[in-house]
Amino acid sequence: MAISFENALGVHPYALQIRAARAEIIANNFANADTPGFKARDIDFKQALKQAVENTPRGNQLPLNITSEQHIQTVPTEYSEPEVLYRTPIQPAIDGNTVDTQQEHSLFARNAMDFQAGFEFLNGSFKSLKTAIKGN
């Protein structure tokens, strides 16, 4: 029986990709905190992860059995960037900027912690797979 990384790792690689994309967006919000009219953006993590899982053959109830390279791929098999949404502002600035630096700082820190936790989980999973393969 072959080892399947998808079965062994589950949704965690997708979660890390989404967390990395979210970190970029939040950093962009920070960078534009003083830009007039800039609208803060973010990713709905739960929705993005659900979409990533559903877009894998494993996430669907009835995946197609592709026996030829000429078959049409109706189910995306690769990660796609999550939808970026505008954040509802708590109190927009007079110049129309909706970035709240304290909120961005908090979200960035939480996202970094979640990324680190996911990374540590994947690291442990790879160590377990290595142990299973080596037998030690």
Side-chain angles (χ1 to χ4, degrees):
M1 181 174 163
I3 295 175
S4 166
F5 283 120
E6 229 174 65
N7 289 337
L9 303 177
V11 300
H12 297 286
Y14 299 114
L16 284 183
Q17 289 175 320
I18 296 167
R19 294 272 180 220
R22 187 168 189 223
E24 287 181 31
I25 291 168
I26 295 172
N28 187 45
N29 289 346
F30 266 127
N32 289 289
D34 294 325
T35 304
F38 183 82
K39 308 295 182 211
R41 302 178 322 151
D42 203 351
I43 293 173
D44 180 353
F45 179 80
K46 288 181 183 179
Q47 182 62 31
L49 187 60
K50 180 180 175 187
Q51 178 184 359
V53 170
E54 287 175 351
N55 286 346
T56 62
R58 188 178 70 81
N60 293 309
Q61 293 291 329
L62 298 172
L64 295 177
N65 186 13
I66 298 172
T67 57
S68 170
E69 291 179 10
Q70 296 177 343
H71 285 171
I72 297 173
Q73 295 278 341
T74 59
V75 179
T77 58
E78 295 181 10
Y79 168 80
S80 61
E81 288 294 319
E83 181 182 8
V84 179
L85 308 168
Y86 289 103
R87 187 174 300 128
T88 305
I90 296 171
Q91 184 174 358
I94 295 171
D95 64 3
N97 187 303
T98 63
V99 176
D100 178 351
T101 55
Q102 291 178 350
Q103 182 183 21
E104 299 298 327
H105 186 50
S106 172
L107 291 170
F108 190 84
R110 175 63 191 254
N111 190 63
M113 275 189 344
D114 291 342
F115 181 90
Q116 186 64 31
F119 185 78
E120 291 294 329
F121 181 84
L122 278 178
N123 191 30
S125 296
F126 278 116
K127 284 181 181 177
S128 296
L129 286 172
K130 184 179 171 183
T131 301
I133 292 170
K134 282 185 166 183
N136 290 342

